[in-house]
Amino acid sequence: MTRTLCLAQDPEADELLSTDDFALLLGMLLDQQYPMEHAFRGPRKLAERMGGFDLRRIAEADPADFEELAATPPAIHRYGRSMARRAQALAQYVIEHYDGVPAGIWTDGDPDGKEVLRRLQELPGFGAQKAKIFLALLGKQRDVRPTGWQKAAGAYGDENSRRSVADVVDAETLAEVREFKKQAKAAAKTSG
């Protein structure tokens, strides 16, 4: 990885996202129906409450206890309990399919971009769009660039775009991404 990410807009949370692949995956999972920077702060909140961030501890935690931990204000998400269940499912999936090594999603067997996208889409809580955005994030900000990654990521892989979290590198680009989304939403309303 070449730089510290700036997705949470908080130095400690961004450091965790930059150094722990599962924290980054989890932040992406939480990035729905919730402000992006707050979603990406979720892993740091869990780390503070659990005395560190550990994929296996998340996967193996008592579900009721983990839901409570995730939903305690400030919660990891607007839907803290539901997202706690999804976080545990994601952790369990990574353990079962990638021996607890999230980077295996994009490295095992030297996959091309299309295969990485397929693997991301298989993750609990990751649909087609979220998978494309995460693939673009890997390519643009983590230097994970399997052959064909930009094509597989679709428009999210476009250089110099401001369409998603993959393009956020500071407060200014966050504002530009928000403006893009606002305009896209307005265009969808007028055409619908």
Side-chain angles (χ1 to χ4, degrees):
M1 109 194 66
T2 59
R3 70 171 74 101
T4 298
L5 299 172
C6 192
L7 307 177
Q9 308 287 302
D10 170 88
E12 290 180 356
D14 283 323
E15 179 66 25
L16 178 60
L17 297 170
S18 300
T19 58
D20 188 297
D21 292 330
F22 187 69
L24 187 59
L25 267 178
L26 180 55
M28 190 74 222
L29 175 76
L30 297 173
D31 187 21
Q32 63 185 54
Q33 299 178 335
Y34 200 53
M36 182 206 79
E37 67 274 24
H38 293 289
F40 281 93
R41 290 176 191 156
R44 177 71 182 150
K45 290 176 187 174
L46 290 175
E48 290 170 350
R49 295 168 190 180
M50 296 181 81
F53 192 81
D54 184 274
L55 176 149
R56 290 187 187 278
R57 285 182 57 215
I58 291 170
E60 296 166 1
D62 175 81
D65 291 345
F66 190 71
E67 281 184 31
E68 187 64 31
L69 185 110
T72 298
I76 64 166
H77 193 275
R78 169 181 303 147
Y79 305 110
R81 291 182 188 284
S82 170
M83 286 302 186
R85 291 189 294 273
R86 288 184 181 192
Q88 283 195 294
L90 181 60
Q92 291 160 355
Y93 186 92
V94 171
I95 289 169
E96 182 179 334
H97 296 283
Y98 297 98
D99 295 322
V101 181
I105 298 165
W106 50 90
T107 61
D108 284 1
D110 195 26
D112 64 9
K114 188 175 177 182
E115 174 62 14
V116 174
L117 180 64
R118 185 192 68 74
R119 292 175 183 183
L120 289 167
Q121 287 175 313
E122 289 180 342
L123 296 174
F126 276 66
Q129 183 177 2
K130 189 178 290 283
K132 286 181 179 183
I133 293 169
F134 194 80
L135 179 57
L137 175 61
L138 289 172
K140 290 179 174 184
Q141 297 200 46
R142 298 291 295 274
D143 291 329
V144 174
R145 298 177 176 152
T147 303
W149 74 270
Q150 284 181 295
K151 182 177 181 184
Y156 297 108
D158 292 349
E159 289 186 42
N160 302 315
S161 66
R162 295 292 184 261
R163 41 180 88 247
S164 75
V165 65
D167 304 308
V168 175
V169 296
D170 54 26
E172 183 180 333
T173 52
L174 173 61
E176 291 169 357
V177 167
R178 281 221 168 94
E179 184 57 30
F180 173 85
K181 288 182 176 186
K182 182 179 171 185
Q183 290 177 7
K185 195 172 188 177
K189 274 187 174 179
T190 58
S191 69

